[in-house]
Amino acid sequence: MLLMGTMTASGQTVVEELKADPNRAAGNFYALPIGKMPKDTPAPEGKKPFYINHYGCPGSYYRETESVYEEPYAVFAKADSLGKLTKLGQEVKKRLELLRSDAKGRFGELTSKGVEQSHEQIRQIVQRFPDMVTSDSYFSSRSTVQNNCIMTAQEAMVHLSSLVQPLDINLTSSHKDNRFIDPQDKALQALCWDSLTQARYDRFMALNTGNARLMKSLFNDQNYLIKETDPAALSRQLYVLAGSIQHTDLAGQVTLYDLFTPEEIMSHWKKLNAKYYITNGACTLNGSKQPFMQRATLRNMIHMGDSVQKRVSPMAHLRFTHENVVMALACLMELDNCGLQTDNLDSLADMGWKCYRIAPLGGSIAMIHYRSEVGDRDVLVKVLLNGEEARLPIETDCAPYYHWNDVKRYYLRKLYRYENIRLNEKVKK
């Protein structure tokens, strides 16, 4: 069952995709590749872009907590001092020492790859949408008050100013903007991991866990391993660090993925993919409501899309936020198959729900607005998911372009239905 996977547009299964690039197994912590310029479907005759509403993930960064690096290293250092490591285990200890040394004092900071990714996002906007870049264009950038998001926004704006001069740019970072950049909902958060969902996920975890082979390859005393360590936790820690190396200058020099078999990598990824789906997707186990965490974000996108209709010069709003925000927004907007509703955690990959394709580091959702002239009553929009043209759950006669009024109507009705359900639930209580 571990070797089953859905066919992608390129003809590859998920297993083949992970084998071709194990870094995808990092899920949201996968680094979106740079250097490839996606092709744009020509807009209907006479239509030109005039507004971009963009929500981006931070670029590649070091893990935010020191414990991610220190805890597994401490386990190996203690075992080595007692002679409990195999030859491979001793080699892994050396690799972990390199990783902790490289990350020291940089927790949560953008890496050099993250800088390149932020530059790439801006370069693609400038090159793909030249009509957006004029002497009177206005670019507004806002980010959450989190180091990697602030650094991503700063690098993007600095690079933009180096490509286009003169240009009117505004850059801010404030908790005040959290209402639409990183909204919170305690009620939804409480529903996310209810007892039924937790039980199903725990069962799913148990069915997809096997650490014996890996631990035996690293430790020469299994009694010591059982008494002094937590094999399942240590396996997860090594897996997390394996996916973190791709973001640093150690990529290509150090790896931890070689410790795992392809089946073990797939098993770890399936657990991670299921967790992302439960917390951000329309999982029916917890009521399919988690994407509505971003309802204020979507409502703000609609409001801004309406408010710029009479603007003469091009404008872009670039927002930089957390990966989970972008993932939940993609699910709420039902981009491609992100709106999948199911309780079958084991078949998510077969149904095409793959976290590394939704909100990787350096990824984004961008809604591009098109018109023929100021006052055009038939504004069109298209949405890019990580730079690629996405499908919306809305009928259109000019895909991948959609009529703005149809898009607005669909999403406002969806938000209204949800708010109506919430109101009725409160009344019943």
Side-chain angles (χ1 to χ4, degrees), residues 164-195:
V164 183
Q165 294 179 350
L167 193 64
D168 190 5
I169 295 176
N170 177 270
L171 172 61
T172 60
S173 178
S174 171
H175 289 295
K176 183 179 179 181
D177 296 329
N178 282 354
R179 65 188 188 279
F180 62 88
I181 293 182
D182 185 22
Q184 301 296 317
D185 187 317
K186 292 182 180 180
L188 278 178
Q189 290 170 337
L191 288 173
C192 185
W193 292 98
D194 59 22
S195 57

PDB file of all heavy atoms in Angstrom, residues 164-195:
ATOM      1  N   VAL A 164      13.267  48.107 -11.255  1.00  0.00           N
ATOM      2  CA  VAL A 164      12.422  49.163 -11.815  1.00  0.00           C
ATOM      3  C   VAL A 164      12.652  50.467 -11.061  1.00  0.00           C
ATOM      4  O   VAL A 164      12.485  50.511  -9.839  1.00  0.00           O
ATOM      5  CB  VAL A 164      10.934  48.779 -11.724  1.00  0.00           C
ATOM      6  CG1 VAL A 164      10.073  49.847 -12.382  1.00  0.00           C
ATOM      7  CG2 VAL A 164      10.678  47.422 -12.351  1.00  0.00           C
ATOM      8  N   GLN A 165      13.018  51.490 -11.791  1.00  0.00           N
ATOM      9  CA  GLN A 165      13.210  52.814 -11.182  1.00  0.00           C
ATOM     10  C   GLN A 165      12.689  53.889 -12.126  1.00  0.00           C
ATOM     11  O   GLN A 165      12.893  53.782 -13.339  1.00  0.00           O
ATOM     12  CB  GLN A 165      14.691  53.053 -10.876  1.00  0.00           C
ATOM     13  CG  GLN A 165      15.257  52.135  -9.820  1.00  0.00           C
ATOM     14  CD  GLN A 165      16.740  52.408  -9.568  1.00  0.00           C
ATOM     15  OE1 GLN A 165      17.388  53.145 -10.304  1.00  0.00           O
ATOM     16  NE2 GLN A 165      17.263  51.811  -8.503  1.00  0.00           N
ATOM     17  N   PRO A 166      12.043  54.934 -11.608  1.00  0.00           N
ATOM     18  CA  PRO A 166      11.578  55.045 -10.215  1.00  0.00           C
ATOM     19  C   PRO A 166      10.315  54.234 -10.002  1.00  0.00           C
ATOM     20  O   PRO A 166       9.620  53.892 -10.957  1.00  0.00           O
ATOM     21  CB  PRO A 166      11.315  56.544 -10.086  1.00  0.00           C
ATOM     22  CG  PRO A 166      10.870  56.942 -11.468  1.00  0.00           C
ATOM     23  CD  PRO A 166      11.691  56.105 -12.417  1.00  0.00           C
ATOM     24  N   LEU A 167      10.002  53.926  -8.754  1.00  0.00           N
ATOM     25  CA  LEU A 167       8.811  53.145  -8.444  1.00  0.00           C
ATOM     26  C   LEU A 167       8.330  53.499  -7.047  1.00  0.00           C
ATOM     27  O   LEU A 167       9.125  53.645  -6.115  1.00  0.00           O
ATOM     28  CB  LEU A 167       9.130  51.643  -8.518  1.00  0.00           C
ATOM     29  CG  LEU A 167       7.946  50.678  -8.516  1.00  0.00           C
ATOM     30  CD1 LEU A 167       7.093  50.876  -9.759  1.00  0.00           C
ATOM     31  CD2 LEU A 167       8.431  49.234  -8.452  1.00  0.00           C
ATOM     32  N   ASP A 168       7.018  53.635  -6.889  1.00  0.00           N
ATOM     33  CA  ASP A 168       6.422  53.969  -5.604  1.00  0.00           C
ATOM     34  C   ASP A 168       6.198  52.684  -4.812  1.00  0.00           C
ATOM     35  O   ASP A 168       5.397  51.827  -5.209  1.00  0.00           O
ATOM     36  CB  ASP A 168       5.100  54.711  -5.824  1.00  0.00           C
ATOM     37  CG  ASP A 168       4.544  55.305  -4.536  1.00  0.00           C
ATOM     38  OD1 ASP A 168       5.234  55.211  -3.501  1.00  0.00           O
ATOM     39  OD2 ASP A 168       3.433  55.859  -4.574  1.00  0.00           O
ATOM     40  N   ILE A 169       6.916  52.539  -3.693  1.00  0.00           N
ATOM     41  CA  ILE A 169       6.865  51.319  -2.893  1.00  0.00           C
ATOM     42  C   ILE A 169       6.564  51.646  -1.437  1.00  0.00           C
ATOM     43  O   ILE A 169       7.067  52.628  -0.897  1.00  0.00           O
ATOM     44  CB  ILE A 169       8.213  50.552  -2.975  1.00  0.00           C
ATOM     45  CG1 ILE A 169       8.475  50.041  -4.394  1.00  0.00           C
ATOM     46  CG2 ILE A 169       8.214  49.378  -2.003  1.00  0.00           C
ATOM     47  CD1 ILE A 169       9.823  49.380  -4.549  1.00  0.00           C
ATOM     48  N   ASN A 170       5.732  50.801  -0.812  1.00  0.00           N
ATOM     49  CA  ASN A 170       5.441  50.937   0.604  1.00  0.00           C
ATOM     50  C   ASN A 170       5.622  49.577   1.263  1.00  0.00           C
ATOM     51  O   ASN A 170       5.110  48.571   0.775  1.00  0.00           O
ATOM     52  CB  ASN A 170       4.014  51.444   0.826  1.00  0.00           C
ATOM     53  CG  ASN A 170       3.660  51.518   2.299  1.00  0.00           C
ATOM     54  OD1 ASN A 170       3.153  50.559   2.881  1.00  0.00           O
ATOM     55  ND2 ASN A 170       3.941  52.655   2.908  1.00  0.00           N
ATOM     56  N   LEU A 171       6.380  49.524   2.368  1.00  0.00           N
ATOM     57  CA  LEU A 171       6.650  48.264   3.060  1.00  0.00           C
ATOM     58  C   LEU A 171       6.353  48.423   4.550  1.00  0.00           C
ATOM     59  O   LEU A 171       6.917  49.290   5.209  1.00  0.00           O
ATOM     60  CB  LEU A 171       8.111  47.855   2.863  1.00  0.00           C
ATOM     61  CG  LEU A 171       8.634  46.664   3.679  1.00  0.00           C
ATOM     62  CD1 LEU A 171       7.849  45.403   3.338  1.00  0.00           C
ATOM     63  CD2 LEU A 171      10.117  46.451   3.411  1.00  0.00           C
ATOM     64  N   THR A 172       5.456  47.597   5.073  1.00  0.00           N
ATOM     65  CA  THR A 172       5.127  47.654   6.495  1.00  0.00           C
ATOM     66  C   THR A 172       4.989  46.253   7.074  1.00  0.00           C
ATOM     67  O   THR A 172       4.737  45.285   6.352  1.00  0.00           O
ATOM     68  CB  THR A 172       3.803  48.409   6.755  1.00  0.00           C
ATOM     69  OG1 THR A 172       2.733  47.723   6.074  1.00  0.00           O
ATOM     70  CG2 THR A 172       3.889  49.841   6.274  1.00  0.00           C
ATOM     71  N   SER A 173       5.158  46.163   8.398  1.00  0.00           N
ATOM     72  CA  SER A 173       4.940  44.910   9.124  1.00  0.00           C
ATOM     73  C   SER A 173       4.321  45.272  10.460  1.00  0.00           C
ATOM     74  O   SER A 173       4.933  45.975  11.270  1.00  0.00           O
ATOM     75  CB  SER A 173       6.261  44.173   9.327  1.00  0.00           C
ATOM     76  OG  SER A 173       6.058  42.988  10.062  1.00  0.00           O
ATOM     77  N   SER A 174       3.087  44.820  10.686  1.00  0.00           N
ATOM     78  CA  SER A 174       2.369  45.216  11.895  1.00  0.00           C
ATOM     79  C   SER A 174       1.370  44.142  12.308  1.00  0.00           C
ATOM     80  O   SER A 174       0.760  43.482  11.464  1.00  0.00           O
ATOM     81  CB  SER A 174       1.624  46.536  11.652  1.00  0.00           C
ATOM     82  OG  SER A 174       0.767  46.838  12.734  1.00  0.00           O
ATOM     83  N   HIS A 175       1.224  43.983  13.627  1.00  0.00           N
ATOM     84  CA  HIS A 175       0.211  43.054  14.141  1.00  0.00           C
ATOM     85  C   HIS A 175      -1.195  43.497  13.741  1.00  0.00           C
ATOM     86  O   HIS A 175      -2.116  42.677  13.700  1.00  0.00           O
ATOM     87  CB  HIS A 175       0.302  42.977  15.669  1.00  0.00           C
ATOM     88  CG  HIS A 175       1.523  42.266  16.168  1.00  0.00           C
ATOM     89  ND1 HIS A 175       1.758  40.930  15.940  1.00  0.00           N
ATOM     90  CD2 HIS A 175       2.589  42.725  16.884  1.00  0.00           C
ATOM     91  CE1 HIS A 175       2.906  40.573  16.494  1.00  0.00           C
ATOM     92  NE2 HIS A 175       3.426  41.643  17.074  1.00  0.00           N
ATOM     93  N   LYS A 176      -1.343  44.773  13.453  1.00  0.00           N
ATOM     94  CA  LYS A 176      -2.650  45.301  13.069  1.00  0.00           C
ATOM     95  C   LYS A 176      -3.187  44.625  11.818  1.00  0.00           C
ATOM     96  O   LYS A 176      -4.405  44.492  11.642  1.00  0.00           O
ATOM     97  CB  LYS A 176      -2.545  46.812  12.840  1.00  0.00           C
ATOM     98  CG  LYS A 176      -3.859  47.485  12.498  1.00  0.00           C
ATOM     99  CD  LYS A 176      -3.667  48.983  12.307  1.00  0.00           C
ATOM    100  CE  LYS A 176      -4.987  49.663  11.943  1.00  0.00           C
ATOM    101  NZ  LYS A 176      -4.815  51.124  11.734  1.00  0.00           N
ATOM    102  N   ASP A 177      -2.277  44.197  10.940  1.00  0.00           N
ATOM    103  CA  ASP A 177      -2.690  43.577   9.680  1.00  0.00           C
ATOM    104  C   ASP A 177      -3.031  42.096   9.825  1.00  0.00           C
ATOM    105  O   ASP A 177      -3.457  41.461   8.852  1.00  0.00           O
ATOM    106  CB  ASP A 177      -1.588  43.740   8.624  1.00  0.00           C
ATOM    107  CG  ASP A 177      -1.355  45.196   8.263  1.00  0.00           C
ATOM    108  OD1 ASP A 177      -2.321  45.967   8.323  1.00  0.00           O
ATOM    109  OD2 ASP A 177      -0.211  45.546   7.925  1.00  0.00           O
ATOM    110  N   ASN A 178      -2.845  41.537  11.007  1.00  0.00           N
ATOM    111  CA  ASN A 178      -3.105  40.111  11.196  1.00  0.00           C
ATOM    112  C   ASN A 178      -4.549  39.741  10.896  1.00  0.00           C
ATOM    113  O   ASN A 178      -4.855  38.582  10.597  1.00  0.00           O
ATOM    114  CB  ASN A 178      -2.772  39.691  12.627  1.00  0.00           C
ATOM    115  CG  ASN A 178      -1.282  39.515  12.849  1.00  0.00           C
ATOM    116  OD1 ASN A 178      -0.494  39.607  11.903  1.00  0.00           O
ATOM    117  ND2 ASN A 178      -0.886  39.274  14.076  1.00  0.00           N
ATOM    118  N   ARG A 179      -5.451  40.718  10.981  1.00  0.00           N
ATOM    119  CA  ARG A 179      -6.863  40.416  10.762  1.00  0.00           C
ATOM    120  C   ARG A 179      -7.120  39.861   9.367  1.00  0.00           C
ATOM    121  O   ARG A 179      -8.109  39.150   9.152  1.00  0.00           O
ATOM    122  CB  ARG A 179      -7.706  41.667  10.996  1.00  0.00           C
ATOM    123  CG  ARG A 179      -7.459  42.797  10.019  1.00  0.00           C
ATOM    124  CD  ARG A 179      -8.186  44.072  10.446  1.00  0.00           C
ATOM    125  NE  ARG A 179      -8.123  45.115   9.431  1.00  0.00           N
ATOM    126  CZ  ARG A 179      -7.096  45.911   9.240  1.00  0.00           C
ATOM    127  NH1 ARG A 179      -6.007  45.780   9.995  1.00  0.00           N
ATOM    128  NH2 ARG A 179      -7.122  46.842   8.300  1.00  0.00           N
ATOM    129  N   PHE A 180      -6.228  40.167   8.404  1.00  0.00           N
ATOM    130  CA  PHE A 180      -6.395  39.584   7.072  1.00  0.00           C
ATOM    131  C   PHE A 180      -5.129  38.909   6.554  1.00  0.00           C
ATOM    132  O   PHE A 180      -5.166  38.245   5.516  1.00  0.00           O
ATOM    133  CB  PHE A 180      -6.869  40.645   6.056  1.00  0.00           C
ATOM    134  CG  PHE A 180      -5.903  41.785   5.840  1.00  0.00           C
ATOM    135  CD1 PHE A 180      -4.913  41.686   4.881  1.00  0.00           C
ATOM    136  CD2 PHE A 180      -6.009  42.940   6.574  1.00  0.00           C
ATOM    137  CE1 PHE A 180      -4.040  42.744   4.667  1.00  0.00           C
ATOM    138  CE2 PHE A 180      -5.145  44.010   6.368  1.00  0.00           C
ATOM    139  CZ  PHE A 180      -4.146  43.909   5.420  1.00  0.00           C
ATOM    140  N   ILE A 181      -4.010  39.034   7.265  1.00  0.00           N
ATOM    141  CA  ILE A 181      -2.776  38.355   6.858  1.00  0.00           C
ATOM    142  C   ILE A 181      -2.584  37.052   7.640  1.00  0.00           C
ATOM    143  O   ILE A 181      -2.095  36.065   7.114  1.00  0.00           O
ATOM    144  CB  ILE A 181      -1.548  39.270   7.058  1.00  0.00           C
ATOM    145  CG1 ILE A 181      -1.615  40.455   6.102  1.00  0.00           C
ATOM    146  CG2 ILE A 181      -0.256  38.515   6.806  1.00  0.00           C
ATOM    147  CD1 ILE A 181      -0.413  41.373   6.204  1.00  0.00           C
ATOM    148  N   ASP A 182      -2.982  37.065   8.896  1.00  0.00           N
ATOM    149  CA  ASP A 182      -2.860  35.862   9.729  1.00  0.00           C
ATOM    150  C   ASP A 182      -4.016  35.803  10.722  1.00  0.00           C
ATOM    151  O   ASP A 182      -3.819  35.862  11.933  1.00  0.00           O
ATOM    152  CB  ASP A 182      -1.515  35.882  10.471  1.00  0.00           C
ATOM    153  CG  ASP A 182      -1.279  34.609  11.265  1.00  0.00           C
ATOM    154  OD1 ASP A 182      -1.907  33.581  10.942  1.00  0.00           O
ATOM    155  OD2 ASP A 182      -0.478  34.645  12.223  1.00  0.00           O
ATOM    156  N   PRO A 183      -5.247  35.682  10.236  1.00  0.00           N
ATOM    157  CA  PRO A 183      -6.408  35.674  11.129  1.00  0.00           C
ATOM    158  C   PRO A 183      -6.456  34.423  12.005  1.00  0.00           C
ATOM    159  O   PRO A 183      -5.965  33.364  11.613  1.00  0.00           O
ATOM    160  CB  PRO A 183      -7.590  35.719  10.154  1.00  0.00           C
ATOM    161  CG  PRO A 183      -7.059  35.122   8.895  1.00  0.00           C
ATOM    162  CD  PRO A 183      -5.624  35.527   8.820  1.00  0.00           C
ATOM    163  N   GLN A 184      -7.031  34.570  13.184  1.00  0.00           N
ATOM    164  CA  GLN A 184      -7.169  33.457  14.119  1.00  0.00           C
ATOM    165  C   GLN A 184      -8.644  33.264  14.479  1.00  0.00           C
ATOM    166  O   GLN A 184      -9.427  34.215  14.462  1.00  0.00           O
ATOM    167  CB  GLN A 184      -6.366  33.733  15.393  1.00  0.00           C
ATOM    168  CG  GLN A 184      -4.880  33.951  15.172  1.00  0.00           C
ATOM    169  CD  GLN A 184      -4.182  32.733  14.631  1.00  0.00           C
ATOM    170  OE1 GLN A 184      -4.436  31.613  15.092  1.00  0.00           O
ATOM    171  NE2 GLN A 184      -3.303  32.917  13.654  1.00  0.00           N
ATOM    172  N   ASP A 185      -9.011  32.042  14.805  1.00  0.00           N
ATOM    173  CA  ASP A 185     -10.379  31.734  15.200  1.00  0.00           C
ATOM    174  C   ASP A 185     -10.312  30.613  16.239  1.00  0.00           C
ATOM    175  O   ASP A 185     -10.083  29.446  15.902  1.00  0.00           O
ATOM    176  CB  ASP A 185     -11.205  31.296  13.986  1.00  0.00           C
ATOM    177  CG  ASP A 185     -12.685  31.130  14.300  1.00  0.00           C
ATOM    178  OD1 ASP A 185     -12.989  30.550  15.360  1.00  0.00           O
ATOM    179  OD2 ASP A 185     -13.525  31.564  13.494  1.00  0.00           O
ATOM    180  N   LYS A 186     -10.494  30.964  17.509  1.00  0.00           N
ATOM    181  CA  LYS A 186     -10.368  29.987  18.588  1.00  0.00           C
ATOM    182  C   LYS A 186     -11.396  28.870  18.477  1.00  0.00           C
ATOM    183  O   LYS A 186     -11.118  27.713  18.819  1.00  0.00           O
ATOM    184  CB  LYS A 186     -10.489  30.689  19.936  1.00  0.00           C
ATOM    185  CG  LYS A 186      -9.324  31.624  20.245  1.00  0.00           C
ATOM    186  CD  LYS A 186      -9.475  32.249  21.624  1.00  0.00           C
ATOM    187  CE  LYS A 186      -8.301  33.177  21.935  1.00  0.00           C
ATOM    188  NZ  LYS A 186      -8.436  33.805  23.274  1.00  0.00           N
ATOM    189  N   ALA A 187     -12.586  29.203  17.989  1.00  0.00           N
ATOM    190  CA  ALA A 187     -13.637  28.185  17.858  1.00  0.00           C
ATOM    191  C   ALA A 187     -13.241  27.120  16.843  1.00  0.00           C
ATOM    192  O   ALA A 187     -13.387  25.921  17.083  1.00  0.00           O
ATOM    193  CB  ALA A 187     -14.950  28.846  17.453  1.00  0.00           C
ATOM    194  N   LEU A 188     -12.727  27.566  15.691  1.00  0.00           N
ATOM    195  CA  LEU A 188     -12.286  26.609  14.674  1.00  0.00           C
ATOM    196  C   LEU A 188     -11.075  25.820  15.144  1.00  0.00           C
ATOM    197  O   LEU A 188     -10.956  24.622  14.872  1.00  0.00           O
ATOM    198  CB  LEU A 188     -11.965  27.346  13.373  1.00  0.00           C
ATOM    199  CG  LEU A 188     -13.148  27.688  12.469  1.00  0.00           C
ATOM    200  CD1 LEU A 188     -12.684  28.453  11.237  1.00  0.00           C
ATOM    201  CD2 LEU A 188     -13.901  26.425  12.053  1.00  0.00           C
ATOM    202  N   GLN A 189     -10.169  26.483  15.839  1.00  0.00           N
ATOM    203  CA  GLN A 189      -8.990  25.789  16.352  1.00  0.00           C
ATOM    204  C   GLN A 189      -9.383  24.692  17.333  1.00  0.00           C
ATOM    205  O   GLN A 189      -8.780  23.615  17.354  1.00  0.00           O
ATOM    206  CB  GLN A 189      -8.048  26.798  17.016  1.00  0.00           C
ATOM    207  CG  GLN A 189      -7.380  27.739  16.022  1.00  0.00           C
ATOM    208  CD  GLN A 189      -6.639  28.879  16.688  1.00  0.00           C
ATOM    209  OE1 GLN A 189      -6.944  29.250  17.836  1.00  0.00           O
ATOM    210  NE2 GLN A 189      -5.674  29.452  15.997  1.00  0.00           N
ATOM    211  N   ALA A 190     -10.414  24.960  18.126  1.00  0.00           N
ATOM    212  CA  ALA A 190     -10.879  23.967  19.089  1.00  0.00           C
ATOM    213  C   ALA A 190     -11.506  22.766  18.393  1.00  0.00           C
ATOM    214  O   ALA A 190     -11.420  21.633  18.879  1.00  0.00           O
ATOM    215  CB  ALA A 190     -11.876  24.604  20.049  1.00  0.00           C
ATOM    216  N   LEU A 191     -12.151  23.009  17.253  1.00  0.00           N
ATOM    217  CA  LEU A 191     -12.795  21.925  16.505  1.00  0.00           C
ATOM    218  C   LEU A 191     -11.804  21.066  15.729  1.00  0.00           C
ATOM    219  O   LEU A 191     -12.098  19.915  15.410  1.00  0.00           O
ATOM    220  CB  LEU A 191     -13.809  22.513  15.514  1.00  0.00           C
ATOM    221  CG  LEU A 191     -15.100  23.094  16.080  1.00  0.00           C
ATOM    222  CD1 LEU A 191     -15.892  23.780  14.972  1.00  0.00           C
ATOM    223  CD2 LEU A 191     -15.930  22.001  16.747  1.00  0.00           C
ATOM    224  N   CYS A 192     -10.646  21.624  15.440  1.00  0.00           N
ATOM    225  CA  CYS A 192      -9.702  20.962  14.535  1.00  0.00           C
ATOM    226  C   CYS A 192      -9.326  19.558  15.013  1.00  0.00           C
ATOM    227  O   CYS A 192      -9.401  18.603  14.263  1.00  0.00           O
ATOM    228  CB  CYS A 192      -8.451  21.823  14.380  1.00  0.00           C
ATOM    229  SG  CYS A 192      -7.268  21.164  13.177  1.00  0.00           S
ATOM    230  N   TRP A 193      -8.917  19.468  16.275  1.00  0.00           N
ATOM    231  CA  TRP A 193      -8.484  18.171  16.801  1.00  0.00           C
ATOM    232  C   TRP A 193      -9.465  17.679  17.865  1.00  0.00           C
ATOM    233  O   TRP A 193      -9.100  17.488  19.020  1.00  0.00           O
ATOM    234  CB  TRP A 193      -7.073  18.268  17.364  1.00  0.00           C
ATOM    235  CG  TRP A 193      -6.043  18.490  16.302  1.00  0.00           C
ATOM    236  CD1 TRP A 193      -5.479  19.664  15.927  1.00  0.00           C
ATOM    237  CD2 TRP A 193      -5.491  17.487  15.448  1.00  0.00           C
ATOM    238  NE1 TRP A 193      -4.599  19.469  14.881  1.00  0.00           N
ATOM    239  CE2 TRP A 193      -4.582  18.139  14.571  1.00  0.00           C
ATOM    240  CE3 TRP A 193      -5.658  16.106  15.328  1.00  0.00           C
ATOM    241  CZ2 TRP A 193      -3.856  17.460  13.599  1.00  0.00           C
ATOM    242  CZ3 TRP A 193      -4.929  15.421  14.359  1.00  0.00           C
ATOM    243  CH2 TRP A 193      -4.044  16.093  13.511  1.00  0.00           C
ATOM    244  N   ASP A 194     -10.702  17.478  17.444  1.00  0.00           N
ATOM    245  CA  ASP A 194     -11.660  16.906  18.386  1.00  0.00           C
ATOM    246  C   ASP A 194     -11.311  15.437  18.631  1.00  0.00           C
ATOM    247  O   ASP A 194     -10.400  14.882  18.005  1.00  0.00           O
ATOM    248  CB  ASP A 194     -13.095  17.073  17.877  1.00  0.00           C
ATOM    249  CG  ASP A 194     -13.326  16.403  16.526  1.00  0.00           C
ATOM    250  OD1 ASP A 194     -12.558  15.482  16.168  1.00  0.00           O
ATOM    251  OD2 ASP A 194     -14.258  16.815  15.815  1.00  0.00           O
ATOM    252  N   SER A 195     -11.993  14.806  19.539  1.00  0.00           N
ATOM    253  CA  SER A 195     -11.628  13.441  19.952  1.00  0.00           C
ATOM    254  C   SER A 195     -11.682  12.446  18.798  1.00  0.00           C
ATOM    255  O   SER A 195     -10.812  11.578  18.663  1.00  0.00           O
ATOM    256  CB  SER A 195     -12.544  12.973  21.090  1.00  0.00           C
ATOM    257  OG  SER A 195     -13.912  13.031  20.706  1.00  0.00           O
TER     258      SER A 195
END
